[in-house]
Amino acid sequence: DADGDGFAACSECDDADATVHPDAAEVCNEIDDDCDTEIDEDDSDLTDGSTFYGDSDGDGHGGQQFEAIGCEAPPGYVDNTDDCNDLDPYTYPSAAEICDEEDNDCDTEIDEGVENTWYADADGDGYGDASSTTLSCDLPSGYINNNTDCDDTAAAVNPAALESCNGVDD
């Protein structure tokens, strides 16, 4: 027992290193610490490896459904669990929010900041009321994409109407 670790040279794999012997913990150091012929993450006895998480959609952000412990991340694994939908490669923290009724950027809000302003067209003349709006990704029924109607109660009164001598701003 040249290294004084309590194990005879014939019963351990490195009698020059007191930290290497059959009762040692296997740690990430590229050495067979516990003398079982397996090194680091190939050894099921590894005690100081990091936890890595499956990245099913390959966007660099992991989910919580798959875990692996090792010295380095295996292929398809990352060191975080911040993906709120690990099956969609366009959904992860800091992703661009798009109009799709999904939380693309994992902030618990849906379609924030990307909705369009639509203007009510109560008279159905194709011109919207600037004082009556709604936000939505898709055009809702009864709304239009312009705010140029000066009287949304009369279809004959709109920017394309012909002006006539009737005392009304047609």
Side-chain angles (χ1 to χ4, degrees):
D1 185 15
D3 59 11
D5 61 7
F7 292 89
C10 61
S11 65
E12 68 169 286
C13 56
D14 186 352
D15 200 33
D17 186 343
T19 64
V20 176
H21 54 78
D23 285 343
E26 185 67 39
V27 296
C28 293
N29 60 4
E30 298 184 16
I31 296 173
D32 180 14
D33 301 291
D34 59 3
C35 299
D36 65 357
T37 71
E38 295 176 334
I39 297 173
D40 297 346
E41 62 227 32
D42 292 331
D43 192 335
S44 60
D45 298 326
L46 181 67
T47 61
D48 78 336
S50 298
T51 302
F52 298 98
Y53 305 93
D55 180 15
S56 298
D57 56 15
D59 61 10
H61 300 270
Q64 297 181 3
Q65 66 274 31
F66 303 108
E67 288 185 4
I69 296 176
C71 300
E72 295 181 12
Y77 283 74
V78 294
D79 65 356
N80 65 73
T81 61
D82 57 6
D83 201 332
C84 60
N85 182 350
D86 199 36
L87 298 177
D88 183 351
Y90 303 107
T91 299
Y92 54 86
S94 76
E97 191 69 50
I98 59 174
C99 279
D100 62 357
E101 297 182 19
E102 298 286 332
D103 178 17
N104 306 103
D105 57 6
C106 296
D107 67 355
T108 71
E109 295 181 44
I110 295 174
D111 297 340
E112 75 281 359
V114 294
E115 298 164 311
N116 298 309
T117 301
W118 304 99
Y119 304 91
D121 183 18
D123 60 11
D125 62 2
Y127 298 91
D129 181 354
S131 65
S132 180
T133 64
T134 189
L135 292 174
S136 174
C137 288
D138 299 317
L139 177 64
S141 178
Y143 286 79
I144 194 92
N145 66 349
N146 70 68
N147 63 353
T148 56
D149 204 340
C150 60
D151 182 352
D152 204 32
T153 63
V157 177
N158 64 62
L162 294 174
E163 193 65 48
S164 63
C165 294
N166 59 5
V168 175
D169 179 10
D170 299 304

